[in-house]
Amino acid sequence: DAMVIQNPRYQVTQFGKPVTLSCSQTLNHNVMYWYQQKSSQAPKLLFHYYDKDFNNEADTPDNFQSRRPNTSFCFLDIRSPGLGDAAMYLCATSRGGGRETQYFGPGTRLLVL
Amino acid sequence: RKEVEQDPGPFNVPEGATVAFNCTYSNSASQSFFWYRQDCRKEPKLLMSVYSSGNEDGRFTAQLNRASQYISLLIRDSKLSDSATYLCVVNGGSGGSNYKLTFGKGTLLTVNP
């Protein structure tokens, strides 16, 4: 049973054309995260929501934004994708409160033409 | 010093070999430690948590040395299916929030027949 679901699995967009990636979870976890991972690099945290509280990483570009309309869903919006934004985008969840595991979705691979 | 630093790899070993991965972390306040496994073009998946007393799960043994801020993973009798990237993961990234994880860059393991 899928616990963290990401759609689409592959996304192709044009340079500068806004794109939205979605994530949903059936775990009822408090925390949802968005990571960017480029080839041969570690996942890089972009931001996370603890319940409704949004927490942006200091070095996340303004081009990246997120929405969490309810516990189950979280969206990553890229307002004006550049070629350098081509990457795997991973959504993860955790219960919150510290010291617990994060569970990852299968990721969305973004290609920018 | 990088927050989480791992052996750069890659490691190429024959089936049946024993292989060890090393990792150091910089945040002395970290409380949770994990090894994740990531197959090519897939999401990271939890392999095992790492406890202060050390822990074993079948062919996999994890060790933690808090004084040295050092974590290790030992794989005995390696199988072809062990081929993957192994990510060292520590909680309590920069800026607080002890539920946030910091990932190492990963070490690629290839087990050869």
Side-chain angles (χ1 to χ4, degrees), chain B:
Chain B
R1 182 180 177 184
K2 291 181 183 176
E3 290 189 70
V4 179
E5 197 152 6
Q6 297 185 235
D7 291 329
F11 287 11
N12 283 279
V13 302
E15 267 187 293
T18 295
V19 60
F21 300 109
N22 301 308
C23 172
T24 56
Y25 61 95
S26 61
N27 186 353
S28 59
S30 294
Q31 296 290 324
S32 300
F33 310 92
F34 308 92
W35 284 100
Y36 275 72
R37 170 196 169 125
Q38 187 171 24
D39 292 291
C40 186
R41 303 177 77 84
K42 297 286 183 69
E43 75 275 24
K45 291 185 178 178
L46 179 68
L47 177 66
M48 58 196 304
S49 300
V50 187
Y51 303 115
S52 295
S53 55
N55 49 299
E56 188 173 306
D57 182 3
R59 298 181 292 108
F60 300 84
T61 301
Q63 297 281 349
L64 169 64
N65 184 323
R66 286 184 184 270
S68 304
Q69 295 179 206
Y70 167 84
I71 307 163
S72 67
L73 174 68
L74 186 75
I75 306 176
R76 292 182 299 277
D77 188 23
S78 53
K79 311 291 184 190
L80 297 177
S81 57
D82 294 333
S83 298
T85 296
Y86 290 83
L87 299 162
C88 178
V89 185
V90 174
N91 85 317
S94 57
S97 303
N98 62 358
Y99 52 88
K100 288 167 57 176
L101 299 181
T102 301
F103 286 77
K105 196 174 176 180
T107 304
L108 176 63
L109 170 67
T110 301
V111 181
N112 302 302

Side-chain angles (χ1 to χ4, degrees), chain A residues 22-55:
Chain A
S22 73
C23 177
S24 63
Q25 53 131 340
T26 60
L27 299 163
N28 203 33
H29 281 174
N30 294 314
V31 195
M32 295 186 77
Y33 309 80
W34 279 105
Y35 290 86
Q36 179 193 65
Q37 188 178 27
K38 297 186 176 181
S39 182
S40 301
Q41 295 185 20
K44 178 180 179 299
L45 182 64
L46 295 173
F47 27 57
H48 72 277
Y49 273 94
Y50 197 125
D51 293 328
K52 295 181 181 179
D53 293 332
F54 177 71
N55 298 270

Side-chain angles (χ1 to χ4, degrees), chain A residues 3-104:
Chain A
M3 295 184 290
V4 183
I5 303 159
Q6 290 189 244
N7 286 303
R9 295 292 306 278
Y10 299 90
Q11 177 72 57
V12 181
T13 191
Q14 293 177 332
F15 182 93
K17 184 175 181 180
V19 66
T20 295
L21 310 182
S22 73
C23 177
S24 63
Q25 53 131 340
T26 60
L27 299 163
N28 203 33
H29 281 174
N30 294 314
V31 195
M32 295 186 77
Y33 309 80
W34 279 105
Y35 290 86
Q36 179 193 65
Q37 188 178 27
K38 297 186 176 181
S39 182
S40 301
Q41 295 185 20
K44 178 180 179 299
L45 182 64
L46 295 173
F47 27 57
H48 72 277
Y49 273 94
Y50 197 125
D51 293 328
K52 295 181 181 179
D53 293 332
F54 177 71
N55 298 270
N56 199 31
E57 294 299 299
D59 56 354
T60 298
D62 292 340
N63 197 24
F64 291 86
Q65 299 187 341
S66 186
R67 296 169 284 135
R68 189 178 185 186
N70 54 53
T71 301
S72 301
F73 285 86
C74 194
F75 299 98
L76 169 62
D77 300 310
I78 308 176
R79 290 193 296 183
S80 182
L83 298 179
D85 297 328
M88 171 81 97
Y89 289 88
L90 294 160
C91 175
T93 74
S94 69
R95 282 184 304 188
R99 306 188 67 174
E100 76 282 356
T101 306
Q102 288 186 17
Y103 297 88
F104 284 82

